[in-house]
Amino acid sequence: MRNGGVSFWWQQVGLPSPTDRLAGDATCDVAIVGGGLTGLWTAYYLHEADPTLDIRVLEAEFAGFGASGRNGGWLSSELAGSARTYADVAGEDGVARLRAALRGTVDEVIGIAAREGIDADIVRSGVLTVARSQAQAERLDGELDARQVAERIRVAGAVAGHFDPDCARVQPAKLVAGVAGVVRGLGVRIHEDTRVVRIEPGAAVTEHGTVRAPVVLRCLEGFTAGLSGHRRDWLPMNSAIVVTEPLTAAQWDGIGWSGQELLGDEAHAYCYAQRTADGRIALGGRGVPYRFGSRTDVDGRTQDWTVESLRATLTTLFPHSPASASTTRGAACWACRATGARACPSTPRQVSGTRVDTSGRASPRPTSQDARSATWHWVRART
């Protein structure tokens, strides 16, 4: 496996060839810009709400090219951001309802995958978060002591931990490819190799023609900055991942990682890991989080020093294991608001009809907005 190549996950299953490139102007009921999980789940639930809708997805590369096919493989219910910030807006009851909705999305995605026949190596395994210093332990405020952490996974230096059962492991490329296949089967057209260069009221302008629709949904996340006039609306933030060769049974015994639980830590520059279905450790964390001018990576390639930093993290966590001897690597980007607060695209919201404005209310006029106004699910963008 090489640095880049979109992602390890796509290299594992094989890179798809783009299909159904837009061939001239077209019209539809809903045009969705972006063929990642944001756009695909939006298409899925809009079709469920009204099967008569003519829905088209416009994707610059292929479905799942971005963070949806490169992430760390956490299907997570974790609250993105500070609970206090949410409470300031919606109160403690609002935060409680949001947490419940997030927990529900984990089982919702697992249920849909089972129902639709999507094999994405999903295991509802939970996540173990460890603290490796007293400061981390105070922030985490976990229920597990060092001995209890070691009974699950022998992480060097762990002094405390917390186990959250509402999380699942997933192979990201398999999931997004599966959702794309289901959506196509519903009659939604996914125009790949069709880059949108501009969004106008009631229209998405591409290099190959203009798609006109009463509703245009922008579902680009970290690639929003590539649209004309939106370079500073959302900041594309980067994260990277390294993946080991498959470990032997003896190596897994040495680490004590006998289950399928995900692994994270409470450091400010956090890491996140999973035990893959084929017996590797996939571990990610921060590299260069922001590229000057809101640039994005090229086909997932990351800097060599980032790779070495992640190797060092892996060795620090498991110093007596040969697990870090050989790794592949790659990068992905997600988005945050230009104000500096991380976006929270993990809240499902029901849409009544097809015309929604940014507040989620019914709209009597054509709109172009982010897909946060529609119902969808998010796989953790710790890529």
Side-chain angles (χ1 to χ4, degrees), residues 285-306:
R286 285 286 176 268
V288 177
Y290 176 74
R291 288 179 169 86
F292 183 78
S294 293
R295 294 184 178 92
T296 55
D297 61 78
V298 177
D299 290 343
R301 184 173 181 82
T302 194
Q303 301 86 357
D304 288 341
W305 75 264
T306 298

Side-chain angles (χ1 to χ4, degrees), residues 8-9 12 72-74 120-123 125-126 152-153 168-171 241 243-264 272-283 318:
F8 162 78
W9 310 113
Q12 191 176 51
W74 288 33
D121 300 336
I122 300 174
V123 179
S125 49
R152 287 185 175 274
I153 305 175
R169 183 200 71 189
V170 64
Q171 207 282 23
I241 188 171
V243 185
T244 71
E245 295 295 332
L247 275 63
T248 66
Q251 289 169 346
W252 283 116
D253 287 344
I255 295 172
W257 198 341
S258 59
Q260 302 295 327
E261 61 265 65
L262 299 158
L263 174 65
Y272 47 93
Q274 68 152 278
R275 176 175 176 166
T276 68
D278 62 344
R280 307 169 189 264
I281 297 176
L283 179 140
F318 306 114

Side-chain angles (χ1 to χ4, degrees), residues 353-377:
T354 61
R355 294 181 180 174
V356 288
D357 64 16
T358 53
S359 67
R361 295 186 296 268
S363 172
R365 62 186 184 281
T367 58
S368 300
Q369 68 275 326
D370 296 314
R372 61 182 180 275
S373 301
T375 301
W376 52 282
H377 299 285

Side-chain angles (χ1 to χ4, degrees), residues 125-369:
S125 49
V127 55
L128 174 67
T129 303
V130 301
R132 301 181 66 246
S133 70
Q134 188 57 41
Q136 291 181 26
E138 291 174 2
R139 289 198 301 271
L140 181 60
D141 191 24
E143 76 285 358
L144 304 177
D145 60 25
R147 179 186 60 78
Q148 291 169 318
V149 169
E151 288 175 351
R152 287 185 175 274
I153 305 175
R154 298 189 190 102
V155 178
V159 297
H162 167 66
F163 181 74
D164 178 2
D166 295 315
C167 195
R169 183 200 71 189
V170 64
Q171 207 282 23
K174 289 184 178 182
L175 178 63
V176 70
V179 177
V182 170
V183 166
R184 285 190 177 102
L186 297 174
V188 175
R189 293 187 68 176
I190 303 176
H191 296 294
E192 297 176 312
D193 192 22
T194 302
R195 184 177 301 277
V196 173
V197 296
R198 188 171 69 257
I199 295 178
E200 301 173 349
V205 181
T206 85
E207 297 170 337
H208 307 295
T210 298
V211 177
R212 300 191 180 279
V215 174
V216 179
L217 296 173
R218 190 179 72 202
C219 303
L220 291 172
E221 299 293 340
F223 291 92
T224 300
L227 275 181
S228 175
H230 294 280
R231 189 169 70 92
R232 304 297 290 176
D233 289 357
W234 292 70
L235 301 182
M237 305 299 290
N238 298 277
S239 186
I241 188 171
V242 294
V243 185
T244 71
E245 295 295 332
L247 275 63
T248 66
Q251 289 169 346
W252 283 116
D253 287 344
I255 295 172
W257 198 341
S258 59
Q260 302 295 327
E261 61 265 65
L262 299 158
L263 174 65
D265 73 357
E266 192 63 16
H268 289 304
Y270 56 76
C271 69
Y272 47 93
Q274 68 152 278
R275 176 175 176 166
T276 68
D278 62 344
R280 307 169 189 264
I281 297 176
L283 179 140
R286 285 286 176 268
V288 177
Y290 176 74
R291 288 179 169 86
F292 183 78
S294 293
R295 294 184 178 92
T296 55
D297 61 78
V298 177
D299 290 343
R301 184 173 181 82
T302 194
Q303 301 86 357
D304 288 341
W305 75 264
T306 298
V307 175
E308 294 309 312
S309 175
L310 291 174
R311 280 180 184 263
T313 298
L314 185 59
T315 302
T316 299
L317 296 176
F318 306 114
H320 303 300
S321 168
S324 56
S326 178
T327 57
T328 182
R329 68 298 300 257
C333 77
W334 45 274
C336 75
R337 281 292 194 186
T339 57
R342 178 173 173 178
C344 179
S346 52
T347 307
R349 181 183 297 175
Q350 298 296 329
V351 177
S352 177
T354 61
R355 294 181 180 174
V356 288
D357 64 16
T358 53
S359 67
R361 295 186 296 268
S363 172
R365 62 186 184 281
T367 58
S368 300
Q369 68 275 326

